[in-house]
Every structure is written in structure tokens, then in C-alpha cells.
Amino acid sequence: MLPDIPQARATLDELLLARIEERHIHFIAKDNLLLPDMPGANLFQRTDLLHGLELGALIGAVSGVLAGSLLLIFPPENPELKMMALLGSGFGGALLGSWLSGRAAKSIPSSRLETYLSEIDAGKVLLIVDVPLHKVLPVKQMLCEKHPDLRFAGLSVSYVLN
């Protein structure tokens, strides 16, 4: 958490000089106060979209399989059609569920950001840096040395396939 936009801009320069690519640096500030050259957080970081997609796919798949099981109770004449209908309804339910819940979750702020929202509304800037686990401590030390008023808020581990 950074105290203001000028400090956030200085921090961006320091991270770039430390050879951290701009695509791995994200800022969240009140009412889009970020400067045009500062990378903002993407949709997945600002909202609960990913969680909504996952939850919707699970609920939709279960609902689809339950609906497809009705085809097993009241079977069609062709036995191969029974299994295809069950799998198809499960897959269709997963797609429909993830699409519907994703649309709803896109408008919900990320639950991971709830603890920072009051500080962001007060004018502070949240910095998110995506670095490999072995680089977290050196980056944290570098930033804390240059910005004593910086508050390290935590670590979130996620896996990204490149």
C-alpha cells in the first residue's frame, strides 16, 4: 500500500529499473486517479470474475448432470444416446452456469481487495507485483528501503501457465 500517486509513480520507475516487466506491475487507486502511463489492475484482479466462473461451472455442471439423469430415468430408445445426453447436459450446464455467474461476478469487486478498499477510498494506492516466489523478498526489501512509509500487505500465491 502506497500513500499517494507520486510515490506510486516513483515505485513504478524503481520496479522497472529492477527489471520487473510492466505487465507484472498493477495499481489500484480511487476513481481512476492513476496517471496514464501507470498500469492499472486488470478485470481479474479488480473483480470476482474468476471465482464466479469457477463456481458457476461447478453449479452448472451438477445441475446439468441432475437434469441429464432424468434422461436415465425416462430413457430414450437408443442406449448410446443416453450417455451422450447425460454428458452433454453436464457440459452444457457447466457452460451456461459459468457464463451466467461470470456476468454477475464481473460487477462485484474482488473479495480479496475488501481489506484495502477503505484505504484506497482514502487516497492510497494499492500496488500488486506479480513475481516468482524467489523474487518476493528482494523486491520487498528494495521497496521498503526506498519507501519507509510503504506497507507490505501480504502475499498471494497463484499459478500462471505461460
Side-chain angles (χ1 to χ4, degrees), residues 50-141:
L50 196 56
H51 180 258
L53 290 172
E54 292 170 346
L55 188 61
L58 178 68
I59 292 171
V62 169
S63 301
V65 168
L66 289 175
S69 64
L70 290 175
L71 291 171
L72 296 177
I73 296 171
F74 306 106
E77 297 300 319
N78 188 346
E80 293 170 357
L81 187 61
K82 284 195 276 187
M83 189 54 68
M84 287 177 52
L86 180 63
L87 294 175
S89 63
F91 183 71
L95 284 177
L96 181 65
S98 62
W99 178 68
L100 290 173
S101 65
R103 288 181 51 90
K106 187 171 73 169
S107 62
I108 300 171
S110 175
S111 56
R112 296 167 77 180
L113 298 177
E114 278 182 21
T115 56
Y116 312 112
L117 289 179
S118 62
E119 292 179 89
I120 291 170
D121 287 339
K124 293 187 178 184
V125 181
L126 179 66
L127 167 65
I128 301 169
V129 183
D130 298 325
V131 293
L133 199 54
H134 69 278
K135 286 188 176 183
V136 170
L137 190 57
V139 169
K140 178 184 173 187
Q141 289 173 341

Side-chain angles (χ1 to χ4, degrees), residues 1-8 11 119-120 122-126 147-151:
M1 198 52 102
L2 297 159
D4 54 23
I5 297 290
Q7 288 245 2
T11 303
E119 292 179 89
I120 291 170
K124 293 187 178 184
V125 181
L126 179 66
H147 301 276
D149 48 352
L150 175 110
R151 182 173 63 86

